[in-house]
Amino acid sequence: MTKDTSAYQNDLFLRGVRLRARHSADAREMHQQADRATTEDFFQALVAAVAVIAHADGRLALAERRKLIEAFIASPAMQGFSITELAQELAEHNRAYGYDPHSADKRALDCLSASVLSGEQRETIRQICHQVITADGLVHPVELGALHRVQSALGLAGDAR
């Protein structure tokens, strides 16, 4: 006994339902990809900003690294990223700063300037940079200069809160 499926496949109502369901799924997937791209921009900008701050006084201290990880874990925007990815990004910046600090600093600031971030995301990056600066208990003047460069690259006013 063969079942006639041509009536089911040719039914305009059922085909419309399937098309709308597929369109809805495609729209959700596109929205998720856009969210991921926005989060990726934020992630890259955050790591670049912290690299500028951390390497201003020569290296990324253990206390600064811990403060960054705490902020990373606490930030809801970082869901979908792992500590391993954060460590890999930091390692890449460390290698760049070890090779040529001036070029690495310029590249990190260019990354910040090119980032498409909301005002809230920019402010979050500034706050995390403040936390990293004060993490080791010393606020070095070159770190304040680095903070000013980060704020300028992010398009934020120069007032250091």
Side-chain angles (χ1 to χ4, degrees), residues 111-132:
C111 173
L112 290 172
S113 296
S115 297
V116 180
L117 302 170
S118 69
E120 182 180 340
Q121 289 173 321
R122 292 171 192 274
E123 193 59 41
T124 298
I125 290 172
R126 179 190 351 215
Q127 290 170 0
I128 291 171
C129 286
H130 278 274
Q131 292 172 7
V132 169

Side-chain angles (χ1 to χ4, degrees), residues 95-156:
R95 279 191 300 279
Y97 274 92
Y99 180 69
D100 183 3
H102 179 71
S103 295
D105 200 59
K106 182 177 178 348
R107 188 181 96 191
L109 292 171
D110 288 346
C111 173
L112 290 172
S113 296
S115 297
V116 180
L117 302 170
S118 69
E120 182 180 340
Q121 289 173 321
R122 292 171 192 274
E123 193 59 41
T124 298
I125 290 172
R126 179 190 351 215
Q127 290 170 0
I128 291 171
C129 286
H130 278 274
Q131 292 172 7
V132 169
I133 285 174
T134 59
D136 57 4
L138 301 170
V139 178
H140 201 279
V142 294
E143 290 176 322
L144 293 176
L147 177 62
H148 178 72
R149 291 194 314 273
V150 166
Q151 290 176 156
S152 295
L154 287 171
L156 296 171

Side-chain angles (χ1 to χ4, degrees), residues 4-28:
D4 185 20
T5 59
S6 63
Y8 172 75
Q9 290 176 348
N10 292 331
D11 186 339
L12 289 177
F13 176 75
L14 292 176
R15 233 181 349 178
V17 169
R18 283 194 314 267
L19 285 173
R20 283 190 295 278
R22 188 177 321 137
H23 181 274
S24 178
D26 289 346
R28 276 192 309 274

